[in-house]
């Protein structure tokens, strides 16, 4: 049985990934900040009998990452998915105004935490069969795409920097951990209808459902090979320029 650990598994893409991996027969370690209040995840734990367990994880807290590692011990994990992420506050990250604290918080959650989690769980991945480390990144992390004025890229300077830093770290791990057999996926989920792109139930410009995106992401993770490890792709397998 494949064992998958997912951060930010209580809503949005993380929840869709947890549901689909469970439906596919995987054992899911679903990490979230507040398992007691994660109602949809609790329902999944009940419906996917014995396949899904929740673990508390605040990714910006090193102590919480250490607790996660203690809870897992030496358990083999096949796939670690760093999915948890934040947009940051739009008015704090414009070309005209950067708020330092807000910038650092966004970098901490989106870029630093996945690196610390990767390092904490490296031994678990090495004991797993698939040895796949995945980051849910964004095409906003591309430094070569000139975003049109019609997008909200002007209000995403910290978010864009955070995903570029995430890409840099994960790409480096794909090279430095290759000899250990660890494969690294950097995957852009597309423009997906979640809380990040608009309140739930509200009309959103995002065209892709979390379920469709998760299905594509799971296929891409399944397709990862040493030849594709470290490449920057979207959920449909299209290569994204760095
Ligand atoms: N939606 C899109 O169009 C889109 C596009 C490109 C990339 N992405 C990326 O996809 C990933 C998932 O996004 P989403 O659209 O599913 O967003 P979402 O619906 O806003 O969900 C974000 C998830 O991250 C968790 N999270 C945030 N900060 C955390 C922290 N400090 N510690 C632990 N968990 C934390 C949230 O938990 P709480 O409920 O506790 O806040 C939630 O589970 C993110 O990395 C995002 O950057 C999304």
């Amino acid at each position: 049985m494949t064992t998958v650990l997912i951060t930010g598994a209580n809503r949005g893409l993380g929840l869709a990934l947890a549901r689909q991996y469970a439906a596919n027969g995987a054992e899911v370690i679903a990490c979230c900040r507040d398992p007691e209040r994660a109602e949809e995840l609790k329902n999944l734990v009940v419906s996917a009998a014995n396949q899904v367990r929740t673990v508390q994880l605040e990714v910006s807290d090193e102590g919480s990452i250490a607790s996660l590692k203690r809870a897992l011990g030496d358990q083999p994990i096949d796939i670690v998915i760093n999915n948890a992420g934040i947009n940051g506050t739009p008015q704090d990250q414009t070309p005209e105004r950067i708020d330092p604290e807000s910038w650092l918080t966004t970098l901490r959650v989106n870029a630093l935490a996945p690196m610390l989690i990767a390092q904490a769980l490296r031994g678990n991945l090495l004991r797993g069969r698939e040895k796949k480390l995945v980051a849910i990144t964004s095409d906003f992390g591309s430094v070569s795409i000139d975003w049109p004025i019609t997008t909200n890229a002007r209000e995403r300077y910290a978010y864009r920097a955070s995903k570029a830093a995430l890409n840099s770290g994960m790409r480096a791990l794909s090279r430095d951990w290759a000899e250990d057999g660890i494969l690294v996926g950097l995957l852009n989920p597309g423009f997906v209808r979640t809380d990040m792109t608009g309140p739930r139930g509200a009309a959103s410009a995002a065209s892709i459902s979390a379920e469709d995106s998760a299905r594509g992401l799971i296929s891409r993770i399944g397709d990862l090979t040493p030849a594709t490890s470290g490449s920057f792709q979207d959920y449909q397998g299209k290569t994204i320029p760095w």
Side-chain angles (χ1 to χ4, degrees), residues 131-203:
K131 301 181 178 53
K132 291 176 178 171
L133 171 65
V134 176
I136 305 301
T137 180
S138 169
D139 50 5
F140 265 173
S142 169
V143 293
S144 58
I145 298 175
D146 289 322
W147 293 100
I149 197 91
T150 46
T151 68
N152 58 7
R154 277 179 65 88
E155 299 172 333
R156 293 291 183 278
Y157 267 48
Y159 183 79
R160 289 160 64 185
S162 73
K163 293 296 189 181
L166 172 66
N167 289 351
S168 173
M170 289 292 151
R171 168 85 177 180
L173 289 185
S174 77
R175 297 300 181 260
D176 290 331
W177 288 358
E179 63 187 21
D180 300 319
I182 293 179
L183 305 177
V184 181
L186 294 90
L187 296 173
N188 170 46
F191 191 23
V192 187
R193 288 188 299 275
T194 64
D195 294 344
M196 183 171 274
T197 53
R200 267 195 237 205

Side-chain angles (χ1 to χ4, degrees), residues 8 10-11 13 33 58-59 83 136-137 159 163 190 192 194:
N10 56 306
R11 60 187 169 97
L13 274 165
R33 285 198 268 209
E58 162 60 66
V59 301
N83 163 78
I136 305 301
T137 180
Y159 183 79
K163 293 296 189 181
V192 187
T194 64

Side-chain angles (χ1 to χ4, degrees), residues 13-183:
L13 274 165
L15 179 64
L17 286 165
R19 282 181 174 143
Q20 288 186 32
Y21 270 117
N24 295 346
E27 177 187 352
V28 179
I29 302 165
C31 302
C32 65
R33 285 198 268 209
D34 192 349
E36 272 311 301
R37 291 173 58 186
E39 295 305 330
E40 289 169 286
L41 202 47
K42 279 159 69 174
N43 290 341
L44 181 61
V45 171
V46 171
S47 62
N50 300 328
Q51 262 178 264
V52 181
R53 70 171 157 134
T54 56
V55 180
Q56 198 278 336
L57 177 65
E58 162 60 66
V59 301
S60 66
D61 177 355
E62 288 171 61
S64 185
I65 295 172
S67 296
L68 167 68
K69 174 61 191 163
R70 276 195 300 278
L72 295 171
D74 290 336
Q75 178 180 354
I77 299 177
D78 293 295
I79 305 170
V80 171
I81 305 180
N82 281 292
N83 163 78
I86 54 171
N87 250 337
T89 310
Q91 62 269 25
D92 287 342
Q93 45 174 327
T94 71
E96 291 76 29
R97 181 179 177 278
I98 298 293
D99 178 77
E101 280 310 312
S102 177
W103 178 283
L104 290 173
T105 299
T106 304
L107 266 284
R108 179 173 280 278
V109 172
N110 291 354
L112 175 60
M115 293 299 293
L116 296 181
I117 290 166
Q119 290 182 342
L121 303 189
R122 181 168 183 269
N124 302 83
L125 276 171
L126 289 173
R127 286 185 185 84
R129 284 183 315 277
E130 299 196 30
K131 301 181 178 53
K132 291 176 178 171
L133 171 65
V134 176
I136 305 301
T137 180
S138 169
D139 50 5
F140 265 173
S142 169
V143 293
S144 58
I145 298 175
D146 289 322
W147 293 100
I149 197 91
T150 46
T151 68
N152 58 7
R154 277 179 65 88
E155 299 172 333
R156 293 291 183 278
Y157 267 48
Y159 183 79
R160 289 160 64 185
S162 73
K163 293 296 189 181
L166 172 66
N167 289 351
S168 173
M170 289 292 151
R171 168 85 177 180
L173 289 185
S174 77
R175 297 300 181 260
D176 290 331
W177 288 358
E179 63 187 21
D180 300 319
I182 293 179
L183 305 177

